[in-house]
CSV table of all heavy atoms in Angstrom, one decimal:
chain,number,residue,atom,x,y,z
A,182,ALA,N,-15.9,-26.1,6.7
A,182,ALA,CA,-14.7,-25.3,6.5
A,182,ALA,C,-13.9,-25.2,7.8
A,182,ALA,O,-14.0,-24.2,8.5
A,182,ALA,CB,-15.0,-23.9,6.2
A,183,ARG,N,-13.0,-26.2,8.1
A,183,ARG,CA,-12.3,-26.3,9.3
A,183,ARG,C,-11.2,-25.5,9.4
A,183,ARG,O,-10.5,-25.2,10.5
A,183,ARG,CB,-12.0,-27.8,9.6
A,183,ARG,CG,-13.0,-28.8,9.7
A,183,ARG,CD,-12.5,-30.2,10.0
A,183,ARG,NE,-11.6,-30.3,11.2
A,183,ARG,CZ,-11.7,-30.3,12.3
A,183,ARG,NH1,-13.1,-30.2,12.8
A,183,ARG,NH2,-10.9,-30.4,13.2
A,184,ASP,N,-10.7,-24.9,8.2
A,184,ASP,CA,-9.5,-24.0,8.3
A,184,ASP,C,-9.8,-22.6,8.4
A,184,ASP,O,-9.0,-21.7,8.5
A,184,ASP,CB,-8.8,-24.2,7.0
A,184,ASP,CG,-8.1,-25.5,6.9
A,184,ASP,OD1,-7.8,-26.2,8.0
A,184,ASP,OD2,-7.7,-26.0,5.8
A,185,TYR,N,-11.2,-22.4,8.6
A,185,TYR,CA,-11.8,-20.9,8.8
A,185,TYR,C,-12.8,-20.8,9.8
A,185,TYR,O,-13.6,-21.7,10.0
A,185,TYR,CB,-12.5,-20.6,7.4
A,185,TYR,CG,-11.6,-20.3,6.2
A,185,TYR,CD1,-11.3,-21.4,5.4
A,185,TYR,CD2,-11.0,-19.1,5.8
A,185,TYR,CE1,-10.5,-21.3,4.3
A,185,TYR,CE2,-10.2,-19.1,4.7
A,185,TYR,CZ,-9.8,-20.2,4.0
A,185,TYR,OH,-9.1,-19.9,2.8
A,186,ALA,N,-12.6,-19.9,10.6
A,186,ALA,CA,-13.6,-19.6,11.8
A,186,ALA,C,-14.5,-18.6,11.1
A,186,ALA,O,-14.3,-17.6,10.7
A,186,ALA,CB,-12.9,-19.0,12.9
A,187,ILE,N,-15.8,-19.2,11.0
A,187,ILE,CA,-16.9,-18.3,10.3
A,187,ILE,C,-18.1,-18.3,11.2
A,187,ILE,O,-18.4,-19.2,11.8
A,187,ILE,CB,-17.3,-19.1,9.0
A,187,ILE,CG1,-16.2,-19.2,8.0
A,187,ILE,CG2,-18.4,-18.2,8.3
A,187,ILE,CD1,-16.5,-20.0,6.7
A,188,PHE,N,-18.4,-17.0,11.6
A,188,PHE,CA,-19.6,-17.0,12.5
A,188,PHE,C,-20.3,-15.6,12.2
A,188,PHE,O,-19.6,-14.7,11.6
A,188,PHE,CB,-19.0,-17.0,14.0
A,188,PHE,CG,-17.8,-16.2,14.3
A,188,PHE,CD1,-18.2,-14.9,14.9
A,188,PHE,CD2,-16.5,-16.6,14.2
A,188,PHE,CE1,-17.1,-14.1,15.3
A,188,PHE,CE2,-15.6,-15.7,14.5
A,188,PHE,CZ,-15.8,-14.6,15.1
A,189,MET,N,-21.4,-15.5,12.8
A,189,MET,CA,-22.1,-14.2,12.7
A,189,MET,C,-22.2,-13.5,14.0
A,189,MET,O,-22.4,-14.0,15.1
A,189,MET,CB,-23.5,-14.5,12.1
A,189,MET,CG,-23.5,-14.9,10.7
A,189,MET,SD,-25.3,-15.3,10.1
A,189,MET,CE,-26.1,-13.7,10.4
A,190,LEU,N,-22.4,-12.1,13.9
A,190,LEU,CA,-22.5,-11.3,15.1
A,190,LEU,C,-23.8,-10.5,14.9
A,190,LEU,O,-24.4,-10.2,13.7
A,190,LEU,CB,-21.4,-10.2,15.1
A,190,LEU,CG,-20.0,-10.8,15.2
A,190,LEU,CD1,-18.9,-9.7,15.0
A,190,LEU,CD2,-19.7,-11.6,16.5
A,196,VAL,N,-22.0,-12.8,19.5
A,196,VAL,CA,-21.9,-14.1,18.6
A,196,VAL,C,-23.3,-14.7,18.5
A,196,VAL,O,-23.8,-14.9,19.6
A,196,VAL,CB,-20.7,-14.9,19.1
A,196,VAL,CG1,-20.7,-16.2,18.3
A,196,VAL,CG2,-19.5,-14.3,19.1
A,198,THR,N,-23.9,-17.3,15.7
A,198,THR,CA,-23.7,-18.5,15.2
A,198,THR,C,-22.2,-18.9,15.3
A,198,THR,O,-21.3,-18.0,15.5
A,198,THR,CB,-23.9,-18.6,13.5
A,198,THR,OG1,-23.1,-17.6,12.9
A,198,THR,CG2,-25.4,-18.0,13.3
A,199,TRP,N,-21.9,-20.3,15.1
A,199,TRP,CA,-20.5,-20.7,15.4
A,199,TRP,C,-20.3,-22.1,14.5
A,199,TRP,O,-21.0,-22.9,14.6
A,199,TRP,CB,-20.4,-21.1,16.8
A,199,TRP,CG,-19.1,-21.1,17.4
A,199,TRP,CD1,-18.4,-22.3,17.9
A,199,TRP,CD2,-18.1,-20.2,17.5
A,199,TRP,NE1,-17.1,-22.1,18.3
A,199,TRP,CE2,-16.9,-20.7,18.1
A,199,TRP,CE3,-18.1,-18.8,17.1
A,199,TRP,CZ2,-15.8,-19.9,18.3
A,199,TRP,CZ3,-16.9,-17.9,17.5
A,199,TRP,CH2,-15.9,-18.6,18.0
A,200,ASN,N,-19.2,-22.1,13.8
A,200,ASN,CA,-19.0,-23.3,13.0
A,200,ASN,C,-17.9,-24.0,13.5
A,200,ASN,O,-17.2,-23.7,14.6
A,200,ASN,CB,-18.7,-22.9,11.5
A,200,ASN,CG,-17.3,-22.4,11.2
A,200,ASN,OD1,-16.7,-21.9,12.1
A,200,ASN,ND2,-16.7,-22.7,10.1
A,201,GLN,N,-17.6,-25.3,13.1
A,201,GLN,CA,-16.6,-26.3,13.6
A,201,GLN,C,-15.2,-25.5,13.4
A,201,GLN,O,-14.4,-25.8,14.2
A,201,GLN,CB,-16.7,-27.5,12.8
A,201,GLN,CG,-18.0,-28.3,13.0
A,201,GLN,CD,-18.0,-29.6,12.4
A,201,GLN,OE1,-16.9,-30.0,11.8
A,201,GLN,NE2,-19.0,-30.4,12.4
A,202,GLY,N,-15.0,-24.8,12.2
A,202,GLY,CA,-13.7,-24.2,12.1
A,202,GLY,C,-13.5,-23.1,13.2
A,202,GLY,O,-12.3,-23.1,13.7
A,203,ALA,N,-14.5,-22.3,13.6
A,203,ALA,CA,-14.3,-21.4,14.8
A,203,ALA,C,-14.0,-22.2,16.0
A,203,ALA,O,-13.3,-21.8,16.9
A,203,ALA,CB,-15.7,-20.6,14.8
A,204,GLU,N,-14.8,-23.3,16.2
A,204,GLU,CA,-14.6,-24.1,17.4
A,204,GLU,C,-13.0,-24.6,17.4
A,204,GLU,O,-12.3,-24.6,18.5
A,204,GLU,CB,-15.4,-25.3,17.6
A,204,GLU,CG,-15.3,-26.2,18.8
A,204,GLU,CD,-16.4,-27.2,18.9
A,204,GLU,OE1,-17.5,-26.9,18.4
A,204,GLU,OE2,-16.2,-28.2,19.6
A,205,ARG,N,-12.4,-25.1,16.2
A,205,ARG,CA,-11.1,-25.5,16.2
A,205,ARG,C,-10.1,-24.4,16.4
A,205,ARG,O,-9.1,-24.6,17.2
A,205,ARG,CB,-10.8,-26.3,14.8
A,205,ARG,CG,-9.6,-26.9,14.8
A,205,ARG,CD,-9.3,-27.6,13.4
A,205,ARG,NE,-9.1,-26.6,12.4
A,205,ARG,CZ,-8.0,-26.0,12.3
A,205,ARG,NH1,-6.9,-26.3,12.8
A,205,ARG,NH2,-7.9,-25.0,11.3
A,206,ILE,N,-10.3,-23.3,15.7
A,206,ILE,CA,-9.4,-22.2,15.8
A,206,ILE,C,-9.3,-21.4,17.0
A,206,ILE,O,-8.3,-21.2,17.6
A,206,ILE,CB,-9.5,-21.3,14.5
A,206,ILE,CG1,-9.2,-22.1,13.2
A,206,ILE,CG2,-8.6,-20.1,14.5
A,206,ILE,CD1,-9.5,-21.5,11.9
A,207,LEU,N,-10.5,-21.0,17.5
A,207,LEU,CA,-10.7,-20.2,18.6
A,207,LEU,C,-10.9,-20.9,19.9
A,207,LEU,O,-10.8,-20.5,20.9
A,207,LEU,CB,-11.8,-19.3,18.4
A,207,LEU,CG,-11.7,-18.2,17.3
A,207,LEU,CD1,-12.9,-17.6,16.8
A,207,LEU,CD2,-10.7,-17.2,17.7
A,208,ARG,N,-11.1,-22.3,19.8
A,208,ARG,CA,-11.2,-23.2,20.9
A,208,ARG,C,-12.3,-22.7,22.0
A,208,ARG,O,-12.0,-22.8,23.2
A,208,ARG,CB,-9.9,-23.2,21.6
A,208,ARG,CG,-8.8,-23.7,20.6
A,208,ARG,CD,-7.3,-23.8,21.2
A,208,ARG,NE,-6.3,-24.2,20.1
A,208,ARG,CZ,-5.1,-24.1,20.3
A,208,ARG,NH1,-4.5,-23.8,21.5
A,208,ARG,NH2,-4.2,-24.6,19.3
A,209,TYR,N,-13.5,-22.4,21.3
A,209,TYR,CA,-14.6,-22.3,22.2
A,209,TYR,C,-15.7,-23.2,21.7
A,209,TYR,O,-15.8,-23.3,20.5
A,209,TYR,CB,-15.2,-20.9,22.1
A,209,TYR,CG,-14.4,-19.9,23.0
A,209,TYR,CD1,-13.6,-18.9,22.4
A,209,TYR,CD2,-14.6,-19.6,24.3
A,209,TYR,CE1,-12.8,-18.0,23.0
A,209,TYR,CE2,-14.0,-18.7,25.0
A,209,TYR,CZ,-13.1,-17.9,24.4
A,209,TYR,OH,-12.4,-16.9,25.1
A,210,ARG,N,-16.5,-24.0,22.5
A,210,ARG,CA,-17.6,-24.7,22.0
A,210,ARG,C,-18.8,-23.6,21.8
A,210,ARG,O,-18.8,-22.6,22.3
A,210,ARG,CB,-18.0,-25.8,23.1
A,210,ARG,CG,-17.0,-26.7,23.2
A,210,ARG,CD,-17.6,-28.1,24.0
A,210,ARG,NE,-18.1,-27.6,25.3
A,210,ARG,CZ,-17.3,-27.5,26.4
A,210,ARG,NH1,-16.1,-27.7,26.4
A,210,ARG,NH2,-18.0,-27.1,27.5
A,211,ALA,N,-19.7,-24.0,20.9
A,211,ALA,CA,-20.8,-23.1,20.6
A,211,ALA,C,-21.5,-22.7,21.8
A,211,ALA,O,-21.9,-21.5,22.0
A,211,ALA,CB,-21.8,-23.7,19.6
A,213,GLU,N,-20.5,-22.2,24.7
A,213,GLU,CA,-19.7,-21.3,25.6
A,213,GLU,C,-19.7,-19.8,25.0
A,213,GLU,O,-19.6,-19.0,25.8
A,213,GLU,CB,-18.2,-21.9,25.7
A,213,GLU,CG,-18.1,-23.2,26.5
A,213,GLU,CD,-16.7,-23.7,26.3
A,213,GLU,OE1,-16.0,-23.6,25.3
A,213,GLU,OE2,-16.2,-24.2,27.4
A,214,ILE,N,-19.7,-19.8,23.7
A,214,ILE,CA,-19.5,-18.6,23.1
A,214,ILE,C,-20.7,-17.8,22.5
A,214,ILE,O,-20.7,-16.7,22.4
A,214,ILE,CB,-18.5,-18.8,21.9
A,214,ILE,CG1,-17.8,-17.5,21.5
A,214,ILE,CG2,-19.1,-19.3,20.7
A,214,ILE,CD1,-17.0,-16.9,22.7
A,218,HIS,N,-19.5,-11.2,23.6
A,218,HIS,CA,-19.2,-10.1,22.8
A,218,HIS,C,-17.8,-10.5,22.1
A,218,HIS,O,-17.0,-11.1,22.6
A,218,HIS,CB,-19.1,-8.9,23.6
A,218,HIS,CG,-18.9,-7.5,22.7
A,218,HIS,ND1,-17.7,-7.1,22.3
A,218,HIS,CD2,-19.8,-6.8,22.3
A,218,HIS,CE1,-18.0,-6.0,21.5
A,218,HIS,NE2,-19.2,-5.8,21.6
A,219,LEU,N,-17.6,-9.9,20.8
A,219,LEU,CA,-16.5,-10.3,20.1
A,219,LEU,C,-15.2,-9.8,20.7
A,219,LEU,O,-14.1,-10.3,20.4
A,219,LEU,CB,-16.6,-9.8,18.7
A,219,LEU,CG,-16.3,-8.3,18.4
A,219,LEU,CD1,-15.8,-8.0,16.9
A,219,LEU,CD2,-17.4,-7.4,18.7
A,220,SER,N,-15.2,-8.8,21.7
A,220,SER,CA,-14.1,-8.3,22.2
A,220,SER,C,-13.3,-9.4,23.0
A,220,SER,O,-12.2,-9.3,23.4
A,220,SER,CB,-14.4,-7.1,23.2
A,220,SER,OG,-15.4,-7.6,24.2
A,221,ILE,N,-14.0,-10.5,23.3
A,221,ILE,CA,-13.5,-11.7,24.1
A,221,ILE,C,-12.3,-12.3,23.2
A,221,ILE,O,-11.4,-12.8,23.8
A,221,ILE,CB,-14.5,-12.7,24.4
A,221,ILE,CG1,-14.0,-13.7,25.5
A,221,ILE,CG2,-14.9,-13.6,23.2
A,221,ILE,CD1,-15.1,-14.7,25.9
A,222,PHE,N,-12.2,-12.0,22.0
A,222,PHE,CA,-11.1,-12.6,21.1
A,222,PHE,C,-9.9,-11.7,21.1
A,222,PHE,O,-8.9,-12.1,20.5
A,222,PHE,CB,-11.6,-12.8,19.7
A,222,PHE,CG,-12.9,-13.7,19.7
A,222,PHE,CD1,-14.0,-13.2,19.0
A,222,PHE,CD2,-12.9,-14.9,20.3
A,222,PHE,CE1,-15.2,-13.9,18.9
A,222,PHE,CE2,-14.0,-15.7,20.2
A,222,PHE,CZ,-15.2,-15.2,19.5
A,223,TYR,N,-10.0,-10.4,21.7
A,223,TYR,CA,-8.9,-9.4,21.5
A,223,TYR,C,-8.1,-9.3,22.7
A,223,TYR,O,-8.5,-9.5,23.8
A,223,TYR,CB,-9.5,-8.1,21.2
A,223,TYR,CG,-10.1,-8.0,19.9
A,223,TYR,CD1,-11.4,-8.5,19.6
A,223,TYR,CD2,-9.6,-7.4,18.7
A,223,TYR,CE1,-12.2,-8.5,18.3
A,223,TYR,CE2,-10.1,-7.4,17.5
A,223,TYR,CZ,-11.4,-7.9,17.3
A,223,TYR,OH,-12.1,-7.9,16.1
A,224,PRO,N,-6.7,-9.0,22.5
A,224,PRO,CA,-6.0,-8.7,23.6
A,224,PRO,C,-6.4,-7.6,24.5
A,224,PRO,O,-7.0,-6.7,23.8
A,224,PRO,CB,-4.5,-8.4,23.0
A,224,PRO,CG,-4.6,-9.1,21.4
A,224,PRO,CD,-6.0,-8.9,21.2
A,250,GLY,N,-3.9,-9.4,12.9
A,250,GLY,CA,-3.4,-9.1,14.2
A,250,GLY,C,-3.5,-10.2,15.2
A,250,GLY,O,-4.1,-11.2,14.9
A,251,TRP,N,-3.1,-10.1,16.4
A,251,TRP,CA,-3.0,-11.0,17.3
A,251,TRP,C,-4.4,-11.1,18.0
A,251,TRP,O,-5.0,-10.2,18.2
A,251,TRP,CB,-2.0,-10.7,18.5
A,251,TRP,CG,-0.6,-10.9,18.2
A,251,TRP,CD1,0.4,-9.8,17.8
A,251,TRP,CD2,0.0,-12.1,17.7
A,251,TRP,NE1,1.5,-10.3,17.3
A,251,TRP,CE2,1.5,-11.6,17.3
A,251,TRP,CE3,-0.2,-13.3,17.6
A,251,TRP,CZ2,2.5,-12.6,16.8
A,251,TRP,CZ3,0.7,-14.3,17.3
A,251,TRP,CH2,2.0,-13.9,16.9
A,252,ARG,N,-4.9,-12.5,18.2
A,252,ARG,CA,-6.1,-12.7,18.9
A,252,ARG,C,-5.9,-13.6,19.9
A,252,ARG,O,-4.9,-14.4,20.0
A,252,ARG,CB,-7.2,-13.2,17.8
A,252,ARG,CG,-7.5,-12.3,16.8
A,252,ARG,CD,-8.2,-11.1,17.1
A,252,ARG,NE,-8.8,-10.3,16.2
A,252,ARG,CZ,-8.1,-9.2,15.5
A,252,ARG,NH1,-6.9,-9.0,16.0
A,252,ARG,NH2,-8.5,-8.6,14.5
A,253,ILE,N,-6.9,-13.9,20.8
A,253,ILE,CA,-6.8,-14.7,22.0
A,253,ILE,C,-7.8,-15.9,21.9
A,253,ILE,O,-9.1,-15.7,21.6
A,253,ILE,CB,-7.1,-13.8,23.3
A,253,ILE,CG1,-6.3,-12.7,23.4
A,253,ILE,CG2,-7.0,-14.7,24.5
A,253,ILE,CD1,-4.9,-12.9,23.5
A,254,ARG,N,-7.2,-17.1,22.0
A,254,ARG,CA,-8.2,-18.2,22.1
A,254,ARG,C,-8.8,-18.4,23.4
A,254,ARG,O,-8.5,-17.9,24.4
A,254,ARG,CB,-7.3,-19.5,21.6
A,254,ARG,CG,-6.7,-19.5,20.3
A,254,ARG,CD,-6.0,-20.9,19.9
A,254,ARG,NE,-5.4,-20.8,18.6
A,254,ARG,CZ,-4.3,-20.7,18.3
A,254,ARG,NH1,-3.3,-20.3,19.3
A,254,ARG,NH2,-3.8,-20.8,17.1
A,255,GLY,N,-9.7,-19.5,23.4
A,255,GLY,CA,-10.4,-19.7,24.6
A,255,GLY,C,-9.5,-20.3,25.7
A,255,GLY,O,-9.8,-20.2,26.9
A,256,ASP,N,-8.2,-20.9,25.4
A,256,ASP,CA,-7.4,-21.5,26.3
A,256,ASP,C,-6.4,-20.4,26.6
A,256,ASP,O,-5.4,-20.7,27.6
A,256,ASP,CB,-6.8,-22.6,25.8
A,256,ASP,CG,-5.9,-22.5,24.5
A,256,ASP,OD1,-5.9,-21.3,24.2
A,256,ASP,OD2,-5.6,-23.5,23.9
A,257,GLY,N,-6.5,-19.3,26.3
A,257,GLY,CA,-5.6,-18.1,26.6
A,257,GLY,C,-4.4,-17.9,25.7
A,257,GLY,O,-3.7,-16.9,25.8
A,258,THR,N,-4.2,-18.7,24.7
A,258,THR,CA,-3.1,-18.6,23.8
A,258,THR,C,-3.3,-17.7,22.8
A,258,THR,O,-4.5,-17.3,22.3
A,258,THR,CB,-2.7,-20.1,23.3
A,258,THR,OG1,-3.8,-20.5,22.4
A,258,THR,CG2,-2.3,-21.1,24.2
A,259,ARG,N,-2.2,-17.1,22.2
A,259,ARG,CA,-2.5,-16.0,21.1
A,259,ARG,C,-2.2,-16.6,19.8
A,259,ARG,O,-1.4,-17.6,19.7
A,259,ARG,CB,-1.4,-14.8,21.4
A,259,ARG,CG,-1.8,-14.1,22.6
A,259,ARG,CD,-1.0,-12.7,22.5
A,259,ARG,NE,-1.3,-12.0,23.7
A,259,ARG,CZ,-1.2,-10.6,23.8
A,259,ARG,NH1,-0.8,-9.9,22.7
A,259,ARG,NH2,-1.6,-9.9,24.8
A,260,PHE,N,-2.8,-16.2,18.8
A,260,PHE,CA,-2.5,-16.6,17.3
A,260,PHE,C,-2.7,-15.3,16.5
A,260,PHE,O,-3.5,-14.4,16.8
A,260,PHE,CB,-3.4,-17.7,16.9
A,260,PHE,CG,-4.9,-17.4,16.7
A,260,PHE,CD1,-5.4,-17.1,15.4
A,260,PHE,CD2,-5.8,-17.1,17.7
A,260,PHE,CE1,-6.6,-16.7,15.1
A,260,PHE,CE2,-7.1,-16.8,17.6
A,260,PHE,CZ,-7.6,-16.6,16.2
A,261,TRP,N,-2.0,-15.4,15.3
A,261,TRP,CA,-2.1,-14.3,14.4
A,261,TRP,C,-3.2,-14.6,13.4
A,261,TRP,O,-3.2,-15.6,12.7
A,261,TRP,CB,-0.7,-14.1,13.6
A,261,TRP,CG,-0.6,-13.0,12.7
A,261,TRP,CD1,-0.9,-12.9,11.3
A,261,TRP,CD2,-0.4,-11.6,13.0
A,261,TRP,NE1,-0.8,-11.7,11.0
A,261,TRP,CE2,-0.4,-10.9,11.9
A,261,TRP,CE3,0.0,-11.0,14.3
A,261,TRP,CZ2,-0.1,-9.5,12.0
A,261,TRP,CZ3,0.3,-9.7,14.2
A,261,TRP,CH2,0.2,-8.9,13.2
A,262,ALA,N,-4.2,-13.7,13.4
A,262,ALA,CA,-5.3,-13.9,12.6
A,262,ALA,C,-5.5,-13.0,11.4
A,262,ALA,O,-5.1,-11.7,11.6
A,262,ALA,CB,-6.6,-13.8,13.5
A,263,ASN,N,-6.0,-13.4,10.4
A,263,ASN,CA,-6.4,-12.6,9.2
A,263,ASN,C,-7.9,-12.6,9.4
A,263,ASN,O,-8.6,-13.6,9.4
A,263,ASN,CB,-6.0,-13.2,7.9
A,263,ASN,CG,-6.8,-12.5,6.7
A,263,ASN,OD1,-7.8,-12.8,6.3
A,263,ASN,ND2,-6.0,-11.4,6.2
A,264,VAL,N,-8.5,-11.4,9.4
A,264,VAL,CA,-9.8,-11.1,9.7
A,264,VAL,C,-10.6,-10.4,8.6
A,264,VAL,O,-10.1,-9.4,8.2
A,264,VAL,CB,-10.1,-10.5,11.0
A,264,VAL,CG1,-11.6,-10.1,11.3
A,264,VAL,CG2,-9.5,-11.3,12.3
A,281,LYS,N,-18.2,-12.7,10.0
A,281,LYS,CA,-16.8,-12.5,10.4
A,281,LYS,C,-16.1,-13.9,10.0
A,281,LYS,O,-16.5,-15.0,10.4
A,281,LYS,CB,-16.6,-12.3,11.9
A,281,LYS,CG,-15.3,-11.9,12.2
A,281,LYS,CD,-15.1,-11.2,13.5
A,281,LYS,CE,-13.6,-10.8,13.8
A,281,LYS,NZ,-13.5,-10.0,15.1
A,282,LEU,N,-14.9,-13.7,9.2
A,282,LEU,CA,-14.2,-14.9,8.8
A,282,LEU,C,-12.8,-14.7,9.3
A,282,LEU,O,-12.2,-13.6,9.1
A,282,LEU,CB,-14.3,-14.9,7.4
A,282,LEU,CG,-13.5,-16.2,6.7
A,282,LEU,CD1,-14.2,-16.6,5.4
A,282,LEU,CD2,-11.9,-15.8,6.4
A,283,SER,N,-12.3,-15.6,10.0
A,283,SER,CA,-10.9,-15.6,10.7
A,283,SER,C,-10.1,-16.8,10.2
A,283,SER,O,-10.7,-17.8,10.1
A,283,SER,CB,-10.9,-15.4,12.1
A,283,SER,OG,-11.5,-14.4,12.5
A,284,ARG,N,-8.8,-16.5,9.9
A,284,ARG,CA,-7.8,-17.6,9.5
A,284,ARG,C,-6.6,-17.4,10.4
A,284,ARG,O,-6.2,-16.3,10.9
A,284,ARG,CB,-7.3,-17.5,8.1
A,284,ARG,CG,-8.4,-17.7,7.0
A,284,ARG,CD,-7.6,-17.8,5.6
A,284,ARG,NE,-7.2,-16.6,5.2
A,284,ARG,CZ,-6.2,-16.3,4.3
A,284,ARG,NH1,-5.8,-17.4,3.7
A,284,ARG,NH2,-5.8,-15.1,3.9
A,285,ASP,N,-6.1,-18.7,10.8
A,285,ASP,CA,-5.0,-18.7,11.7
A,285,ASP,C,-3.7,-18.7,10.8
A,285,ASP,O,-3.5,-19.6,10.1
A,285,ASP,CB,-5.0,-20.0,12.5
A,285,ASP,CG,-3.8,-20.1,13.4
A,285,ASP,OD1,-2.9,-19.1,13.4
A,285,ASP,OD2,-3.7,-21.0,14.2
A,287,THR,N,-0.5,-18.0,12.1
A,287,THR,CA,0.6,-17.8,13.0
A,287,THR,C,1.8,-18.3,12.4
A,287,THR,O,2.9,-17.7,12.6
A,287,THR,CB,0.2,-18.6,14.3
A,287,THR,OG1,-1.1,-18.1,14.8
A,287,THR,CG2,1.3,-18.4,15.3
Side-chain angles (χ1 to χ4, degrees):
R183 294 182 51 81
D184 292 334
Y185 294 85
I187 304 172
F188 54 97
M189 289 180 58
L190 308 168
V196 179
T198 67
W199 199 246
N200 79 326
Q201 291 182 5
E204 184 171 333
R205 185 185 69 82
I206 294 173
L207 293 163
R208 299 177 188 173
Y209 285 98
R210 295 193 303 275
E213 294 175 324
I214 200 63
H218 193 268
L219 80 157
S220 58
I221 197 173
F222 307 124
Y223 292 77
W251 292 108
R252 296 293 186 269
I253 306 296
R254 295 189 177 96
D256 58 9
T258 59
R259 293 194 176 205
F260 72 102
W261 186 262
N263 171 265
V264 177
K281 188 163 185 177
L282 184 148
S283 298
R284 289 188 296 162
D285 183 356
T287 306

